[in-house]
Each structure stands twice: as structure tokens, then as C-alpha cells.
Amino acid sequence: MTQYHRWLLSKLISNKQCITTNTVILLGNLQLVIRDNSVYPKGTILFEDETGKVPCLLIGYEKEWFTRTISLLSWSFLINKQPNGKEVFHLEVHSEVLFLQDSEALYSKATNINIERFEKRNRLSFSSQQLNPLSFKTATDMLFNFDRNSTKSPSKLNLCAMVNMKSVLYQTEGETTFIVTLNEVHDPSSFVHIVFHGDHFIEYYKMIMVGEIYFFKEATFNKKASQSIPIFEVVEVSSIDPVKNINREHEMVYNSSNLIENTQNSTDLGRMCFGYEGIITYIIDNALGLFVLDSEYILHLGKYPEYNPLITPYRLGMKLLLHNIHAIKLTMEKDTWKLNNHKNCPSFENINVIFAACHCSTIQVIRFPNEIIRSDSVSQKIISKFSSFRNSDLITLLELLWVQKAYYDISNKFPGEFEDQTLLSDPRPSKSNVEACLLSKLLRKYRVSNYFQDWAQDYFNHKNSCRITEENEEINIRLPPISEVLQFIDELVSSQRLSEFLGGDQSRVFSQLEAKLEKIHLMGFLEVNLDGTLQLKDQTGKISVVNISIEKVHTHHLNNVWIIPEYELVIEQHSKIYLRFAIEKCFCFYAKPYNSPFKYNQIFFQVRHIFSTKLNCPSEYLAPNMNCKLQIEMLDFSEDSPDLTTNSRKIAFNNISRSAFIHLSGDFIKILPAIHVGLFYELSFGKPEQIINSMGMIINFNLNNFVTANVINLQWDASNSTFEDLLGHVIQPKILELDESSKDSFRVLEKSFSIEDKLLDVQEILNEHFIGRLVSLKGLVVSKEIRSSLAQPNFMNSSTSKYINVGQLNANLLLRIQDIHTEEIIDVYINNISRYVIPIGLIPGQTITLRKVEVRKSDLGNIYCYAHEITHISLQGYPKANISFYQELNNTNLIDLFEDGISIQCTFRILCRITHIYEIILQFVCEACERIIYNNSCPNGCHLGRRFYALCKFKISDGTCFAIVTARDDIVVRELLCINDDSYRKICDKVEKSRFFYEWTISNDNDFMKKSLSDFISLKGIRRDVILFCRKLHKEKKEKIIDQTQQSSTIELNAVRIAEKLPIFEARKKLKLVEKIKSNLNDI
């Protein structure tokens, strides 16, 4: 007679050893947790004997198992070590349980028990042939069993149907809820949703399996209010019993032979669900729910609430049955998970999709391994530092993958700069706050999380879309090392000779799209090179950049880590390569804390003029050095103690100022791009005798070392110059606040400077009133030409060529400057440019300011300007749109866009007229949640900054048909409304106070719209006859058309760019077409 040796749970727990056996029995009871507690979540199954209890995993579920004492004959005892170091034990039950015939053995101290004391009971089930069709209802019958005005079944009924889908457990109105979808056994298209609401139904959640047929005995239902979806809530049910399906024809199919082909070729994976049966052959990371099935597929359970790796983790050798699983497209650029190190994993190059579970999926364990298999996961050791992200329901798998890639890129770019705790949050569960860490903040800059969850609605709409898979769309944004960006640019330039690359132009500007950099965002320390130019730098390299925005770069912007999402690549002759960007379109990733070491010896000053930066090359054996001189006006202030609440200081202006000069050299050249004419600064220094040199009435400050002095911005209003990094650290200049008695005196000072620094247009200078005088000129660069004059001296060697904007030759520079408002042009000559630093960015289309140029008249009567060594050149605002790439497109008729199969990525060039303006919106929105900013604050309390948002909807016609166009941001402001830099600042000031909104109605014609805009801000007019560069709007993302009279067949377009329709452009296109036809004829 067979006897089994009995163990107690206390013995297993005290031994602390994993074990798998079929010769030792455990006696006890099963318990279902129906309410959440601090240890076990709702739905956990516990095995308990007189010495303790542990969670367990079962194959199958029978209600009777929970009503009597049971014995486990084949099982595994496992130990799971949690991140906090605590050990958690659990059981895997390999076979069906047996029942103890009497309770005597349970309470006796006997360690050996005969097999005769146990009995096995067959599972209660019906055969589909045993059921009388007249005794039950089907899913189809339920749809007609209720009167249209009835919400409750007239009596208890019996229902037989197949379970097609089952939701996870979720909470509504304080009670546990889950939903199952039942369909006709012979007709899967006929279905009903059954809602179980109440903690007492949890046992049915464990019992009901997807793909099985069940008999609902004496059930009462309430019909839920829904116009299109059949939803019934269970009021009560006597029993739910499985039905053995004799006809195998309608069983669910798993592991389709063309599974890979279907998932890779599907255009809408979000709606695609399938089943799969496989064995876990590798564990990438248990905490993240990442496994390899059958050495071929990757499974992700990180967003599946029923999987609890802290209590009952999955292990190698488990066989899983997956129901209603999704496939998500995935491209791995690097072997982030170290898959290629293991034979039981697919190579990362071959991964195109991963399997992911959602709230409508069901994961069944159908077999446990018969032995304890130790996991040799290399991946888990590598990515375990990201396990805190697993606990956040707001982060998807592909977002996690992006975080991993960003982490390794940032670690490579800035080795030793950031601690893991800063980037990834504190690894300790009690201290962990994933949403507060840097990479989580960065992630939310690119993707706003959906905080609202309506699981029931998600379930009912699952056939149309799945929120989990939609949120799992891959993030294409990369933050590569700068060396990689430089290598890509070098390959782009070296692909052909520079002369061919530039054509007949002196320079060429590439958009991110043209340069194939649209998915690359630049990240690095914003610093200044020794030649006084801005650069973006990381450990791997540096690249020169130039700010072309009307927003200026200030001293508090420098030496912090910035991310530049939008930029343009500029390639000039003489191998000048740099990027241009707008500082207000960037954001600060991390700002270094800095406190000036100098608390005394402070002076306040206004910059009146900046002289040209000189290049000194003493000999060919010494490296060149730069120096620059500033003309300043020292201001006499008396300063009160700081206001700690506003971080500002109340000061009194004594209406006394003295002229002075500051000489910048050495390290101090590195603040030059942050010094601007007309702005105010504070100079603090340590040892006055080392940096001050008085010469009569003029004071000279010689600054060449950051150790001895510091210069920072002063502002009278912090609203336009304060920003935050992603951690919320406020970065701002020193804020001074004038007392009431000083404001009038200070206005006089500002007025005198505005008169002194008056900027003239080209047209004003050509009037001959300024010949022989030094003036300040503002205009548009038409062309730039370098004219060689003398041979290059010996000391102009390769040591100077590393600076991007110096050392071309001993040559002259000719700039042709056009009036901003007219077509008048004037020549500006700059002599011997090899001795001076010429700002980068002086290319056609760029607006610039030249201060202190001399107006001259030639012998032939031509008026021109001559730049001296005192001349200062600065970029001033956005350049005119460069549309050369789009001008190469052929014209398209609107009617041709009705054709099917046109990609939404294709750009079209349409000559058209804007016939109606439907809507114009100008406002500031929050960077994080995109809510409208009121009173300079986000309604949700976000602190990630703000951005200017513009939207316009209008109707166009080209003679073939009409279309509705949506334009956004700069396309609206710069290209449609034709707002210049001066008006742009005024608009921003007004939008801060009041959001502008214009909406077309029948009573509001176009004249009303013009008046409405002119009341808001002075505008010259809106373009009407335009060249529209656009793409088709995706059908699933159409927005509501404001003009309700439009037919549903109207084309909807997204504006990419809007250009003025000038005859010269069309003439050039026709000329090129004629030349092309002539060339083809010659070839024939």
C-alpha cells in the first residue's frame, strides 16, 4: 500500500530551499482573497495549513476545491526575493488536487499517510449532446428575450454560450467587477457582454476560462442602457458549469502557421487579437514582465494587472496559453536586452513585433516545469535598474524601451555627470517616484500619458481599438552622441564634391527632413567656444550652433544641458558647417546649481556697444587668442535686502552713470554670446586691484578668468527670462525691482539709449542724409561674398582653422543687405576679416543688425557702408522661410488628391487662393498637458514651461475643387499672417493677458475678421494668393469642420508651408521645364 510523507508549510519556510516533488504531500485548504490587503491583492489564491499560508498557482479552478480539505501530491515550493530584500514564498500545483476523506489525518501528528485516505472527484461538466436545446437560451436568444422597454429578465433563465473574451478584475463603486463576452457556439459574430459586479463573483472570475463553453443555470440579468452594444449585468446565478464540446470545429485556433506574416504585414495591429501557446525559454526581466516564448517570440506582461511578479512570478519551462494577445511593432537598433548572448532567444535584428497583453487578454498557466531551472538571464542583470518603471501604470513597454535607450545614450554622452537615482529615481520601493525622475520627465515631453482610465468602455470598444496598444506606439525620437551626428553630417557632405553640393550658391540650408535628421534631437551642454561662438557639447564631440530667434541667449542659459528638437543644418563654402536653432523652441534638460563666489565688489552696468572680437596670432608656434571690448555705462544703485518670496531686490537708482570699458579675453570670451547691447548686467569680482585699471575719467575692467570675476544678467521683470529644467529647478537672472522714486529717472536712461542706438533701414541710409556718419543698420542678408586681397600670412595656419568663423584668408567680406520692407539694397564692406571674428549665420535670408558702420559714397555716386574694427554684427530674429526644397515640387491640382492610396507623408505643391478664414487661435499652452495658460500658470499645476500655440483653419480653391486646410504655429504666424519679429513680441505680450480666438459665422465676413485682428495687433494683411505645401489629413484624425455647409467629401489638408505666389517662381519653374524637355530631345 502506497504511503506519502507529509510536510508542513513551516518546515518548507524554515528550510528556505526551492523544491519540486511528487512523493511528499501537503494537506490544507485553499482560500480566495476577495478584498485587497497590504500583503496580497484581490484574486490571489492562498494555500493554508495549521502552520502558515502561502500564495499558489493552480492549473484550472474548481469551486469544490475551496470547500474541503485538499492534498497536493505534485508541487513546487519556490522562493522569490523582492527588491527590498524580503523573501516571498509560493507554491505551484502541478496536478489536480485530491480530497481528504476524513479530517483525522489533518489533525494527527502522523507524518505518513496512506493513499486510501484520498479521493479524486471528476470535474462536474455537461456534454453538449446532453443539453436539451429547449432547456436553455443562447446568446442570440438573449438579444430578443427582453422587450425593448424592459431592463430586467422576467424570470430566471438558463444560458449556454462560449466565452470569447474576459477582462481583468477592476474596481467600480467600491466593488470588484469583471466582464466576459459570450458568443453563439456556432456563430461567433453573435455576442453579448456579461458584467459581474460584486466581490462575491470573484470565484467565477477564476473559474471561467476563455475558449470554453459554459452553462449558466438559473441566471437573472439586468440589461444595461446602451444603444448599440448588448450589455447585461448578472443579478444572480445558481451555478456556472463547463460544457464539454463534442464538435471541435468551432474551437479557438492557436499558433497559426502564418502568425509572423500576419503580424508583420498588418497595417492595424491595434485591432488584431490572436491566441498563442508556448513555453518560456528565457526570462529577459521578470519584474518587467518580459519573456521569450519558444526561443522565438517576446512576450510583454508589464501592462497586464493579473500578472504579479512580486508574489507569483513566472519561471523558465512554464507553458502558457495566451488569449486575445496583441502584436506591437518594434525595431531594436541595439541589443539592449543582450538577447544575442543566449541561444534560447531570437537575435535582436530579427525582432519586428512583440506580443503584449492588455486588459482584455487572459494568460493561463497550463503546465509547470518538473524541475527547478535556474535562470541565467544576462538581460535581467542589465536592465533590473529600470524595474521601478514596471510599477508605473502610466509607462508602456515601448516607452520603457525608449527610456532604456535614452539612459544609455545619456550615460555615453555625459559619463559620470548624472547618478542613476537622478535619471531613474531611487531604486528603493519606499523612496521610488518614477514620475519625478529626469527620464520620466523627458518622456512626458514627447508623449503625454493618458491618466484617465475607463476600463469598461475600453473593453466594449476593444474590437475597434485598444488603448494599451495605441499607447504602445514606438517613440522614434533619438538623442544620439554628438559624434554620431557629426559623422552623419560628414557622410552627407562627402557624398559629393562641395561645389556640386552647394550648386551656384555660397551656402545651403537643410531642414531636418531634407537632411534625414527629423528623428534626431540634439542634446548637450550649451557652451561657448574660445572664438566666442555657441556650441553644443557632450563627451563625444561638439558642434557649432547659432540662435536665430528674437529670444536671446543669456548668461543663465549657458553651461546647462539643453535639448534642441528643431534645427536646420547650414553648409557654407570654406567648409563651414553649423546648426541654427531658436532658443524658445528648446528646453533645459538639467541645470547645474551655481552660486557666485563673489558676494562683494559688485557693480551694475548697461552694455552700450560691443566692439568686434579680435583674433591675435602672435606667431605660427602659438595658438591664437581672442579678445573683445565692451563699452558700458556704470549705474549707481542703492540696494535693499532681497525679498525671499520673489527672489528680487528693491533698489533705488541714483541717476548717476559713468562710462567704462570691459576687456574680455581668455575664459571670459565664453560669455560673449550672452552679452547683448542695451541689456543690463551685474559684475562681481574678488580682488579689485587685479581687474580694475583706471585711466583718467575712463575705467577699464580686464576680465580673463572666471576665478576672479563673474558677469550675470539683470532683469526688471522675470516673466520673460525665467525657465525651469525638467526637475523644476528655476533658472533666472538676478531680479532687481526699482522703487517708485527711481522709475522716472530710469525711463530717461532707457530713452537716451534708444535714441543713441536707433536702427536705420536701408531705405533711410540711401537718402544720403548720413554720409560720413556712423550708423546702426538693420536689414536682410541677400548675399555674402569673400574677396581675397593678399596672400595668407604664415601664422594663419591650421591652428586657427579649427574655429568655425575665423581664419578664412586675409580677405574682405562683401555683404549685400536688403531693406526689410522694400527691395532697396546696400553693400557693406568688411576689411581684413582674418583679423576679426565674423558671426556665423550670415547667409541669405537672415535678418542682421550692424552697429557703428560708416556710410560712404563712391566716386560713381553709389552709397555703401564700411565696417571698422568698432563695428558689431548680430543676428536679429528668424530668417525668411527657405522654400527651395519645396519649390522643386511640381504643381498638383486639388481634385487629384481624391485618389485612393495617396500616402499621408507625401507633400504636394498647390497654387490656390484662400477664400475663407474659419478660425484663428493664438494662445500659450502648457508644454506638459497642453492646457491653455492663464495668468502665466497651468491649470493643472505643471511646471514644464509653456509654448506659443497658433492654429488657423481656412478654405482654399484652385479652380478644380475646394479643400479645408489646417495650419499651426509658425506657419500661421510667420507665413499666413505675415507677422514680423517686432509684431511677434507684441502678440506674445497680448496673448499672455488674453487668448485670441476668431471664429467665422455667417454674420462675420472677412472684413469683420480683418478688423478683429487689427484690433488685436497691427497687421498688414493676410495672404490670399499663395503656394500651399501640404499633406493629406489622416482620415481617422479628422477634426470637426467649422463650415457645416461643406460636404463630407471635402478634402482636408495639413499645411507644411505657405509661400507667397510670386510670378518669378513660376517663371523659373517653367524655364526649368523647357530646359528639361530640350535636354531630353537632344538625348533622343
Side-chain angles (χ1 to χ4, degrees), residues 873-885:
I873 306 173
S874 61
L875 275 58
Q876 195 75 22
Y878 289 98
K880 280 193 171 180
N882 176 17
I883 58 174
S884 58
F885 170 73

Side-chain angles (χ1 to χ4, degrees), residues 108-141:
S108 68
K109 297 183 179 180
T111 57
N112 295 310
I113 303 177
N114 294 331
I115 188 65
E116 294 179 347
R117 286 179 174 266
F118 307 117
E119 63 174 332
K120 180 180 180 181
R121 295 190 178 182
N122 294 326
R123 185 184 184 189
L124 179 63
S125 62
F126 298 94
S127 168
S128 56
Q129 292 181 337
Q130 296 175 320
L131 295 174
N132 182 2
L134 299 178
S135 65
F136 63 85
K137 301 291 184 181
T138 65
T140 304
D141 296 332

Side-chain angles (χ1 to χ4, degrees), residues 126-130 213 243-249 251:
F126 298 94
S127 168
S128 56
Q129 292 181 337
Q130 296 175 320
I213 302 174
V243 176
K244 188 176 181 180
N245 190 9
I246 302 298
N247 185 358
R248 318 297 293 183
E249 179 183 352
E251 281 193 337

Side-chain angles (χ1 to χ4, degrees), residues 686-755:
K687 298 180 179 180
E689 64 276 9
Q690 293 182 357
I691 62 172
I692 298 180
N693 177 24
S694 298
M695 298 173 58
M697 299 301 293
I698 304 284
I699 300 177
N700 286 273
F701 298 85
N702 296 309
L703 308 181
N704 60 6
N705 196 321
F706 288 128
V707 177
T708 60
N710 183 42
V711 174
I712 61 171
N713 281 80
L714 294 181
Q715 292 286 340
W716 316 108
D717 181 5
S719 60
N720 294 329
S721 54
T722 299
F723 64 91
E724 296 180 357
D725 68 2
L726 293 187
L727 290 179
H729 299 149
V730 177
I731 313 300
Q732 64 181 14
K734 184 172 182 178
I735 310 300
L736 298 182
E737 184 180 350
L738 293 169
D739 61 14
E740 290 298 325
S741 62
S742 304
K743 290 183 178 179
D744 289 338
S745 300
F746 192 74
R747 291 191 190 101
V748 173
L749 176 70
E750 288 187 314
K751 185 176 181 180
S752 66
F753 170 75
S754 63
I755 295 173

Side-chain angles (χ1 to χ4, degrees), residues 122-164:
N122 294 326
R123 185 184 184 189
L124 179 63
S125 62
F126 298 94
S127 168
S128 56
Q129 292 181 337
Q130 296 175 320
L131 295 174
N132 182 2
L134 299 178
S135 65
F136 63 85
K137 301 291 184 181
T138 65
T140 304
D141 296 332
M142 282 194 69
L143 298 178
F144 299 98
N145 192 55
F146 292 84
D147 296 330
R148 291 193 175 185
N149 297 326
S150 174
T151 59
K152 189 171 183 179
S153 54
S155 59
K156 296 180 180 180
L157 54 86
N158 298 324
L159 173 67
C160 184
M162 176 182 285
V163 177
N164 179 272

